[in-house]
Amino acid sequence: MTSWTRFAEAEQPSGTAIADHHLPRLEGDPRWHVARRVAASKGFAKSRFLTSFVLYICEKYLLGQTGEITEQQIGEQVFRRPHGYSPGEDNIVRNYARLLRQRLEEYFTTEGIDETIRIVVPRGGYVPLFLEENMIIGKSKPEPFPAEVPPLEFASHSDAMPPREESRSLASGRSSWALKTLCAALSLALFLVSLREIHFRQQPSISDRFWNVFFSPARDTLLVPADSGLVIYQNLTKRRIPLAEYAGGEYQKHTVSPLGIDPAIVNELGGRRYTSVVDLHLVSAISQLPAIVKDRFKVRYAREVTLDDLKQSNVILLGSFNANPWVELFQKDLNFQFEPLQKEDKVVIRNIHPMAGEKAFYETDQTDPARTTFGVIAVTPNLDGSGHVLLIEGINMAGTEAAADYLFSDASRALLSQVFDAQGNMVPFEVLLETSNIGANAPRPQIISQRIVRR
């Protein structure tokens, strides 16, 4: 299982596990009450993972257990990842942390605007800060503060304090000075954290820049997963259904199966609303992105899409043309095109204009022990040229998974940093990825060819 697919796991988060003897200590802390109100707010209550996330880090901080506020521990305790799992391969904590920071900011500017204590989770870590009037309050381990002492006065030798009393006074003075220095350092740290937050808001990550292109308050974003029912129908009839027949819904009126299967059964199976597990996980991953504009984001089954839907919307199409015929509308302008080989009953990727060292065709070799397969990521203009279309497709499910896994991994930053022009606009591009298909998984996809349109 790849890192991005974990978004859709139907596991229950573990939540926090507060020992009974800790309850009085937490219940008497106003910071814990704020954390509980945050967890019960609208932005958190609908997500059990977010609820457990914020309560876990706040609980550990307030109990003085900040050593347990790590990506590894959060992954294991909150998201129920197996002990010793690799956060480098599974970035679910980092993805939810971005959403957590966004929801915290939303809470304290809307529903919790009257809170006197606020919670901030600075980027680069997961330890929360509790702020009151822009000052960090409290400590994870409450400690008694040294008593205030009057300032030292210089005295003559005759009325000087005994050496022991003088030593105590000097020690108290040093403690007071150290306390003031600590407060100043904390204030400076808070100021630097604020500057860093502002910097990150002004300088979004390259991944955020990429996804922001596809989501806008002024335009719908249509996400269309593959029609696996269509794949079943084509396999049983041994006939590929072109977009013209698919869009009109006429193809099931003249069903004939060379396999001798009753046409009614073929139509019943082919008419079911199936999609692949890979596409299901990818839909879930995309729907969790911070860039999502909820009122403008629509998931539409391929059979329900119309041509008008694709004209003015930003569109994300999952799966190759044999599972998502709408890809035909945009594939004609691409260099890497999926083509069926009817006689051999397989799909290949045709490289229209091979460059030095490239093949003209890429296909899965069933005799290859590594079962190498291929996927494509492409961005092209939508039908009216006002928006963008993102294609995530593969020769098979493993190929589509490879393309999706690459797009959601840190490895994609090298590619995404090349697809924006000097004005910050995304240019059309397409990449061909290769991966192994051992065990129907798609580990370590890598780009073997790419085309980026330079304006």
Side-chain angles (χ1 to χ4, degrees):
M1 184 178 293
T2 55
S3 59
W4 61 271
T5 60
R6 311 248 185 188
F7 271 101
E9 288 184 333
E11 300 176 6
Q12 297 294 326
S14 61
T16 53
I18 307 171
D20 290 341
H21 62 278
H22 287 317
L23 283 173
R25 179 177 173 185
L26 287 178
E27 291 300 331
D29 193 323
R31 295 170 295 176
W32 178 245
H33 291 289
V34 174
R36 294 291 297 272
R37 287 194 292 271
V38 167
S41 67
K42 294 178 181 179
F44 283 78
K46 293 182 180 180
S47 171
R48 289 187 290 270
F49 282 128
L50 279 178
T51 299
S52 293
F53 197 161
V54 71
L55 290 179
Y56 176 85
I57 62 176
C58 290
E59 170 197 334
K60 294 301 180 184
Y61 176 83
L62 296 175
L63 293 178
Q65 300 168 356
T66 54
E68 297 181 34
I69 309 179
T70 65
E71 184 174 2
Q72 184 79 40
Q73 288 295 322
I74 295 170
E76 295 176 6
Q77 302 300 321
V78 175
F79 296 98
R80 284 192 168 183
R81 293 301 184 258
H83 179 71
Y85 88 107
S86 173
E89 297 178 359
D90 184 343
N91 60 359
I92 189 171
V93 177
R94 278 165 279 162
N95 282 314
Y96 266 94
R98 286 195 293 267
L99 186 59
L100 174 70
R101 295 183 182 100
Q102 177 186 338
R103 295 289 174 84
L104 282 171
E105 185 174 352
E106 290 175 356
Y107 173 77
F108 288 111
T109 55
T110 55
E111 189 177 346
I113 195 170
D114 295 327
E115 296 277 8
T116 57
I117 298 175
R118 302 193 173 204
I119 302 172
V120 173
V121 181
R123 294 179 185 272
Y126 307 101
V127 177
L129 297 178
F130 292 85
L131 310 180
E132 186 171 20
E133 296 182 354
N134 294 325
M135 294 292 292
I136 300 174
I137 61 169
K139 294 185 178 182
S140 56
K141 278 188 176 181
E143 297 176 1
F145 281 77
E148 288 290 332
V149 295
L152 291 175
E153 295 182 354
F154 293 103
S156 64
H157 180 72
S158 60
D159 58 0
M161 288 182 278
R164 183 174 297 178
E165 293 298 325
E166 183 178 2
S167 175
R168 289 177 182 174
S169 179
L170 288 171
S172 298
R174 291 193 187 100
S175 297
S176 179
W177 178 85
L179 177 60
K180 292 176 181 177
T181 302
L182 177 61
C183 290
L186 289 175
S187 298
L188 178 59
L190 178 60
F191 175 71
L192 293 176
V193 166
S194 300
L195 286 181
R196 190 178 182 189
E197 290 289 327
I198 293 172
H199 171 75
F200 275 99
R201 290 195 189 106
Q202 293 175 343
Q203 302 289 334
S205 70
I206 192 65
S207 178
D208 290 337
R209 286 183 64 194
F210 173 79
W211 288 110
N212 284 338
V213 169
F214 299 95
F215 299 97
S216 167
R219 187 189 306 277
D220 285 344
T221 300
L222 194 64
L223 174 58
V224 185
D227 183 349
S228 296
L230 175 66
V231 177
I232 293 173
Y233 182 88
Q234 292 175 134
N235 289 340
L236 295 178
T237 61
K238 300 300 179 182
R239 185 171 77 91
R240 190 181 77 83
I241 307 301
L243 176 60
E245 290 186 42
Y246 183 77
E250 301 293 319
Y251 62 96
Q252 288 186 304
K253 291 184 179 180
H254 310 288
T255 300
V256 177
S257 174
L259 303 176
I261 303 175
D262 186 342
I265 296 177
V266 175
N267 283 339
E268 198 277 330
L269 291 173
R272 292 184 178 179
R273 296 163 62 89
Y274 291 143
T275 194
S276 71
V277 174
V278 169
D279 282 19
L280 176 63
H281 288 165
L282 184 50
V283 169
S284 178
I286 292 174
S287 67
Q288 298 280 353
L289 290 168
I292 287 287
V293 180
K294 293 182 180 179
D295 294 338
R296 287 291 198 171
F297 178 59
K298 306 177 187 301
V299 179
R300 192 75 54 82
Y301 196 63
R303 249 175 270 166
E304 298 173 349
V305 174
T306 67
L307 197 59
D308 288 338
D309 291 330
L310 305 178
K311 286 182 178 178
Q312 297 180 340
S313 301
N314 288 322
V315 183
I316 303 174
L317 298 177
L318 311 182
S320 60
F321 69 91
N322 65 321
N324 198 337
W326 297 107
V327 172
E328 284 186 34
L329 290 172
F330 309 99
Q331 181 175 256
K332 65 183 184 300
D333 298 322
L334 301 179
N335 178 71
F336 302 114
Q337 299 187 5
F338 288 74
E339 292 186 359
L341 298 181
Q342 298 288 2
K343 293 183 180 180
E344 300 180 42
D345 192 25
K346 64 181 179 181
V347 175
V348 300
I349 298 176
R350 182 183 177 192
N351 185 359
I352 304 298
H353 302 290
M355 299 175 68
E358 295 181 350
K359 300 178 181 178
F361 292 91
Y362 293 87
E363 59 184 291
T364 297
D365 183 357
Q366 301 297 334
T367 65
D368 177 12
R371 302 291 293 276
T372 300
T373 192
F374 303 91
V376 168
I377 301 169
V379 170
T380 188
N382 67 351
L383 294 181
D384 69 357
S386 63
H388 296 81
V389 175
L390 170 63
L391 307 176
I392 304 175
E393 48 186 339
I395 286 179
N396 46 33
M397 280 197 297
T400 300
E401 184 178 22
D405 190 34
Y406 180 86
L407 193 56
F408 276 83
S409 72
D410 291 339
S412 67
R413 286 183 293 186
L415 166 68
L416 300 183
S417 63
Q418 303 176 59
V419 301
F420 291 91
D421 62 20
Q423 289 71 44
N425 300 313
M426 185 184 292
V427 299
F429 73 90
E430 50 187 301
V431 296
L432 176 65
L433 299 111
E434 179 184 68
T435 190
S436 170
N437 188 19
I438 299 175
N441 290 318
R444 297 183 300 276
Q446 59 181 350
I447 292 178
I448 58 174
S449 183
Q450 67 183 45
R451 303 288 189 275
I452 300 176
V453 178
R454 301 298 182 188
R455 293 172 180 170

